[in-house]
């Protein structure tokens, strides 16, 4: 049964069908060959039920806010702010790119939006300073993955909905691992710039720094409002999404006056298309994961892997490897929808904090966005930078190693993720 499911999905993906087709065809094949008395209408109920949770309302609103600020002035002001403070350091421009991706991730929550907004601006500067272009693109698409860890994060929302975990706690818990990845990437940028013999940039005056800080205060208000509102209990993560849209509209339309009312039709259309794709994947993934649970496939797979004496560490390693491999081939949303219900009972049985698991899963989603063969950030970079696949992926391995190192550190030292969560909610 499992071979039929996985084999049919792999075949359809190889033939070029969009992900939603394998997700529905595979369950139908299992029902036809192995469950002839099964009512297909139950599968339809699961499809509709997958997009019913109220928390999913936050997804289109965060996407809409990201589209607004990507089109507007927020990215440019964040880049100027970070560059004035870090640009003079060894590897400063590369570190600036990493920091800009981190800040923009805290505003947009989208890896692909971060690749476009930060990449289009920073790549020409890095080329001008003598950085290897393959390094530039690898840095941009990997640093953009920090957007999934720094709240708001669409992957965390999906995980929270699937497992019943608190989205607010997931948001807070993602900050520590996100900053850890930023630090590891910055260290790598320092040594890489020395190897490439990149010249130091001139240090700007404190007057210029304060001026750029003043211009960046409004964009920096995005994460402060979202996290501050959730932390103080002023509003829920879903309400935070609505506030982020309102804030984005006010900033770009009335403060910066970059966007006109007529621009919002195009932005809303783009948001609608992306949201439709996300919700179709969520709906199909919910039906797929339900059928896996219904046929008790996890009971056949996990006990032999965990052995007679399962431990929390062993389960976390299996979860990490499973999501790492899955996100290499399918969208992270699909991986979360399919795998989370499989592991959730074992996570509860072994007493592992589901928030810690959610952070680890999100880290694998970030890795999957840049891992060949199907990382979405890779294809976004190819489209934005107009460079071939091989050139984009050439310098990715060092960053993947750092992501894996960060994951292991979070597993070994859970307080990296849970300290701020405990501080905020315990």
């Amino acid at each position: 049964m499992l071979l039929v499911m996985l084999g049919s999905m792999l075949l359809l993906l190889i033939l070029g069908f969009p992900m939603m087709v394998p997700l529905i065809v595979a369950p139908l094949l299992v029902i036809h060959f192995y469950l002839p008395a099964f009512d297909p209408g139950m599968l339809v109920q699961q499809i509709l039920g997958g997009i019913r949770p109220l928390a999913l309302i936050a997804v289109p609103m965060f996407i809409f806010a990201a589209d607004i600020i990507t089109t507007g002035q927020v990215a440019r002001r964040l880049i100027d702010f970070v560059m004035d403070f870090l640009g003079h350091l060894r590897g400063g421009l590369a570190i600036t790119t990493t920091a800009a991706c981190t800040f923009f991730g805290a505003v947009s929550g989208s890896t692909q939006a971060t690749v476009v907004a930060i990449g289009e601006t920073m790549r020409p500067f890095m080329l001008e300073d003598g950085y290897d272009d393959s390094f530039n693109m690898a840095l941009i698409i990997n640093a953009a993955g920090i957007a999934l860890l720094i709240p708001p994060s669409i992957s965390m929302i999906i995980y929270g909905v699937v497992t019943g975990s608190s989205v607010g706690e997931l948001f807070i818990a993602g900050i520590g691992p996100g900053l850890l990845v930023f630090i590891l990437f910055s260290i790598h940028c320092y040594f890489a710039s020395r190897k490439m013999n990149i010249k130091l940039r001139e240090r700007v005056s404190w007057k210029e720094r304060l001026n750029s800080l003043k211009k960046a205060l409004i964009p920096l208000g995005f994460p402060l409002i979202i996290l501050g509102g959730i932390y103080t209990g002023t509003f829920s993560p879903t309400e935070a999404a609505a506030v982020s849209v309102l804030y984005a509209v006010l900033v770009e339309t009335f403060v910066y006056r970059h966007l006109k009312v007529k621009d919002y039709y195009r932005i809303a259309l783009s948001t609608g298309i992306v949201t439709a794709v996300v919700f179709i994947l969520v709906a199909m993934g919910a039906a797929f994961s339900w059928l896996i649970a219904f046929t008790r496939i996890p009971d056949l797979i996990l006990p032999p892997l965990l052995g007679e004496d399962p431990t929390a560490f062993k389960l976390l390693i299996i979860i990490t490897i499973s999501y790492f491999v899955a996100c290499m081939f399918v969208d992270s949303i699909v991986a979360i929808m399919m795998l989370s219900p499989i592991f959730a009972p074992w996570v509860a049985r072994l007493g592992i904090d589901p928030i810690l698991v959610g952070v680890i899963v999100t880290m694998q989603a970030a890795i999957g966005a840049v891992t060949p063969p199907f990382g979405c950030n890779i294809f976004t970079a190819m489209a934005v930078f107009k460079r071939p696949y091989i050139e984009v992926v050439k310098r990715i391995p060092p960053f993947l190693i750092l992501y894996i190192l960060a994951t292991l550190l979070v597993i070994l030292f859970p307080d990296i993720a849970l300290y701020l969560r405990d501080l905020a909610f315990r």
Side-chain angles (χ1 to χ4, degrees), residues 359-376:
V359 171
I360 293 170
V361 166
T362 305
M363 294 180 79
Q364 305 320 298
I367 297 173
V370 297
T371 306
F374 301 121
C376 62

Side-chain angles (χ1 to χ4, degrees), residues 149-182:
L149 293 167
I150 300 292
S153 167
I154 292 173
S155 294
M156 287 182 174
I157 295 172
I158 301 298
Y159 177 85
V161 168
V162 174
T163 62
S165 303
S166 166
V167 175
E169 291 189 29
L170 286 166
F171 278 3
I172 301 296
I175 296 174
L179 294 177
L180 173 63
V181 174
F182 164 69

Side-chain angles (χ1 to χ4, degrees), residues 386-405:
K386 296 179 174 57
R387 306 306 301 168
Y389 182 90
I390 296 298
E391 190 173 335
V392 174
V393 303
K394 181 180 177 182
R395 299 288 292 272
I396 284 179
F399 294 100
L400 293 183
I401 292 171
L402 293 175
Y403 263 127
I404 294 170
L405 174 61

Side-chain angles (χ1 to χ4, degrees), residues 42-57:
M42 293 181 66
L43 199 64
V44 176
Q45 291 178 0
Q46 296 302 317
I47 291 173
L48 297 176
I51 55 175
R52 195 168 292 155
L54 185 64
L56 287 176
I57 296 174

Side-chain angles (χ1 to χ4, degrees), residues 49-191:
I51 55 175
R52 195 168 292 155
L54 185 64
L56 287 176
I57 296 174
V59 173
M61 287 190 285
F62 277 131
I63 293 174
F64 190 35
D67 284 344
I68 293 171
I69 61 179
T70 302
T71 309
Q73 293 290 307
V74 168
R76 178 72 258 181
R77 290 173 180 252
L78 287 174
I79 289 172
D80 290 342
F81 162 65
V82 178
M83 189 178 294
D84 284 350
F85 277 84
L86 301 178
H88 65 281
L89 302 174
R90 172 69 66 183
L93 203 57
I95 296 173
T96 295
T97 301
T98 307
C101 287
T102 303
F103 277 118
F104 194 78
V107 174
S108 70
S110 167
T111 62
Q112 290 163 290
T114 305
V115 169
V116 175
I118 305 301
E120 286 188 328
T121 305
M122 293 303 299
R123 180 169 166 261
F125 288 121
M126 295 183 73
L127 287 173
E128 184 180 324
D129 271 24
Y131 285 89
D132 178 76
D133 200 23
S134 291
F135 173 83
N136 300 338
M137 292 184 289
L139 171 63
I140 290 165
I141 64 177
N142 280 277
I146 301 175
L148 290 182
L149 293 167
I150 300 292
S153 167
I154 292 173
S155 294
M156 287 182 174
I157 295 172
I158 301 298
Y159 177 85
V161 168
V162 174
T163 62
S165 303
S166 166
V167 175
E169 291 189 29
L170 286 166
F171 278 3
I172 301 296
I175 296 174
L179 294 177
L180 173 63
V181 174
F182 164 69
I183 292 169
L184 292 175
F185 280 11
S186 297
I187 294 171
H188 175 60
C189 290
Y190 173 84
F191 288 104

Side-chain angles (χ1 to χ4, degrees), residues 302-310 314 318 346:
L302 287 179
L305 289 175
L306 291 170
E308 296 182 359
D309 186 26
K314 186 184 293 185
I318 292 173
W346 285 89

